[in-house]
Amino acid sequence: MHVEPASAPVPNDRGVPWYKTLNRYHWFVLFVSALGWLFDTMDQQLFNLARGPAIRELMGAEYVQLYGAIATTIFMIGWATGGIIFGIMGDRYGRAKTMVITILIYSIFTGFSSFSVGFWDFAFYRFLTGLGVGGEFAVGVALVAEVMPDKARPHALGWLQACSAIGNVMAAFISIGLAPLEAAGLLGEWKPWRFMFIIGALPALLALLIRRRLKEPERWLALRADPAMHKQLGSFRDLFRNPTLRRNAIVGLILATSGVVGLWGIGFFSFDLTRAVFREKFSGEERTAEAIRQERDFVALVIASPDQQDLAEKERKDAKKPESKKRIEHAKERVQPGHLLDAEASLVYSAVLGLYKENAAIELDAVLEAAKKIDAKQRAEKRDGPPFDADKLRALLDGANQTGSLADVVPGIAERTLSIESRLTLWAGLNGLLFNIGAFFGIYSFSRITHFVGRKPAFAVTFVMALLSTAFTFWNLDSFDDIFWMIPTMGYFQIALFGGYAIYFPELFPTRLRSTGTSFCYNVGRYIASAGPLLLGVFAQAVFGSYGTVMSWRLAGVTMCSFFLIGLAALPFAPETKGRPLPE
């Protein structure tokens, strides 16, 4: 097999810009590796954008915080598992072959996620997607590090990681582009999050593009040709038997864990914080006296309305069901308790749906009794809010319009909900766009700064600034203007850390263990860090839930920022690799 010399240095390259030391094949490797990582991160970001709306549709609004965190944890466990498996495969069977496999896996199962019908199949698809996502990074950085000339290596790896921000920006534009289509009702019965995952399947085409032209690095081929080295390729035993490599692996693991928790356990939940803050604002705008009257009419009609002409077609299809059951099924197609802006109407409708699920009688007394129990349970969990006044609500419902038609009220509630959700989709997309614009410049800045000051000082400054900017953003973000400077600042410092990982980790390990060692740092770290999103969800819902949705996100996010200190504490034990060639 002919392989073009890929890592031969340019003679007398002192004073020559790094990019002029690259030949055509160097550029090809950087291009396809960057595309692979770009689409990889696009899929990750589509998940972060789709997570909240997906859980709301599949389970209900009250489950978004905890089950969104569980889904993220499962995704990260898949990421870590895939990273370790494919990291070893990259050392044993080749970087190029393994890269193609990982791209196919994360693309295909991202597409499958769009067909989810419940939480657990959604989480299963996310786990399988994570297998491919985790493997791609370790293999990609090992490939680029080994192919590039020494002078170009940190710059090329910096640009490789910077492309992650471009992938995230693409995901943000996808979300922004879907928002007006959602508002216009052009997406049909499918919600935008399902279309996001369909688009995320497209990178599989990249695997077909690179399958033949991408060659294995010369460094790896030379080791592969030596029979004595076969057992050492991708050997965890060899990684931990050597004291220096063992120390490098443990330090890298701690550095990665700190940054991954910061990003996936805090930073990427800024989408949920933004949605929570702006949902309150948009709902407040829509919460007019007419909207409250409409919602109380809706609840009264669902409970007590006589025959409904607008349900005639549905009744013919399912004539055996009691009238109350048919009315509730019709309403459920368009309205959920979380859609109602009036807290009392939402509580009563939750009680109605609970009785419906239990096949109990849908009568006013039974509904009010059930609502009283739900209210007591919620107040016991959240410890705030006035007690439920059954007599007051009975009078309000008795005064509601019980002789109209659901067709008079359901469309209005549904359209208002659609308007709010489409605006939230737009602002979540802007959140992602601005976060990753900041991220792009953060990664680029790290690659420049570390060239002058070294790896350890660059990491130290970035960990401190990531902590401060993240805590400040979660505590203070409150207006539309805040999005435009707080979010990119947070993204700048959080993702700059990952630019450092792409440069630093390959410099810690020899060729025979480069993919395995990088994978260990990044993906065993991800196993540990997978508890981060779950811990954030527990803080937000169980510990700080009594303070309301927005404040619970704020308190949970600020508390979690302490994880950045762990990475800072590991730096005194880290070796400085600035100016050194890759270990052989």
Side-chain angles (χ1 to χ4, degrees), residues 162-314:
C163 284
S164 68
I166 297 174
N168 292 338
V169 167
M170 289 171 61
F173 275 120
I174 291 169
S175 177
I176 293 169
L178 289 171
L181 300 179
E182 179 184 20
L186 298 178
L187 300 183
E189 295 297 320
W190 270 26
K191 298 291 192 295
W193 68 268
R194 295 186 184 271
F195 285 96
M196 290 182 190
F197 287 134
I198 287 289
I199 295 170
L202 297 179
L205 300 174
L206 176 64
L208 303 178
L209 171 67
I210 68 176
R211 183 171 59 90
R212 293 189 177 183
R213 290 195 59 195
L214 192 62
K215 309 300 181 184
E216 301 297 348
E218 289 179 337
R219 295 173 187 259
W220 182 84
L221 287 172
L223 284 177
R224 181 68 174 169
D226 184 356
M229 298 299 297
H230 282 186
K231 291 185 178 180
Q232 297 184 42
L233 291 173
S235 170
F236 266 108
R237 178 181 296 180
D238 197 28
L239 180 66
F240 284 94
R241 187 164 47 192
N242 183 299
T244 300
L245 296 180
R246 181 170 62 245
R247 181 203 62 184
N248 291 354
I250 293 172
V251 168
L253 168 66
I254 295 171
L255 293 176
T257 300
S258 178
V260 172
V261 170
L263 181 62
W264 283 87
I266 317 171
F268 281 160
F269 280 88
S270 63
F271 300 106
D272 302 81
L273 173 67
T274 298
R275 282 182 174 271
V277 170
F278 291 168
R279 184 181 296 280
E280 284 193 354
K281 293 185 179 300
F282 297 153
S283 297
E285 294 172 4
E286 298 282 352
R287 196 177 188 279
T288 62
E290 174 61 22
I292 294 173
R293 181 201 62 76
Q294 186 181 57
E295 291 182 357
R296 293 181 187 275
D297 287 351
F298 165 76
V299 173
L301 285 167
V302 167
I303 297 172
S305 179
D307 274 356
Q308 310 262 327
Q309 292 302 312
D310 58 298
L311 299 181
E313 181 63 28
K314 191 171 184 63

Side-chain angles (χ1 to χ4, degrees), residues 57-116:
E57 179 180 343
L58 297 174
M59 299 192 68
E62 65 272 26
Y63 296 100
V64 167
Q65 288 182 316
L66 183 58
Y67 278 83
I70 292 173
T72 305
T73 296
I74 291 171
F75 176 56
M76 292 176 67
I77 291 172
W79 188 330
T81 304
I84 292 173
I85 293 172
F86 291 114
I88 294 172
M89 285 181 61
D91 278 333
R92 292 185 178 177
Y93 305 110
R95 300 9 177 161
K97 296 184 186 72
T98 306
M99 178 181 285
V100 172
I101 294 171
T102 59
I103 292 172
L104 284 172
I105 290 174
Y106 74 65
S107 301
I108 291 170
F109 288 107
T110 293
F112 281 1
S113 301
S114 64
F115 299 101
S116 301

Side-chain angles (χ1 to χ4, degrees), residues 46-59:
L46 287 173
F47 167 64
N48 289 311
L49 288 162
R51 174 182 54 221
I55 300 300
R56 286 179 71 88
E57 179 180 343
L58 297 174
M59 299 192 68

Side-chain angles (χ1 to χ4, degrees), residues 16 30 40 48 108 111 123 141 192 197 215 228-229 244 292 321 341 361 366 423 427 473 483 501 510 524:
V16 176
L30 181 57
D40 185 319
N48 289 311
I108 291 170
V141 297
F197 287 134
K215 309 300 181 184
M229 298 299 297
T244 300
I292 294 173
K321 288 192 176 181
L341 307 178
R423 293 171 73 185
W427 279 98
T473 299
I483 288 281
Y501 300 152
V524 173

Side-chain angles (χ1 to χ4, degrees), residues 30 33-35 37-38 140-141 144 155-164 502:
L30 181 57
S33 299
L35 275 184
W37 186 230
L38 180 155
V141 297
V144 172
H155 300 281
L157 288 170
W159 279 104
L160 171 68
Q161 185 65 33
C163 284
S164 68

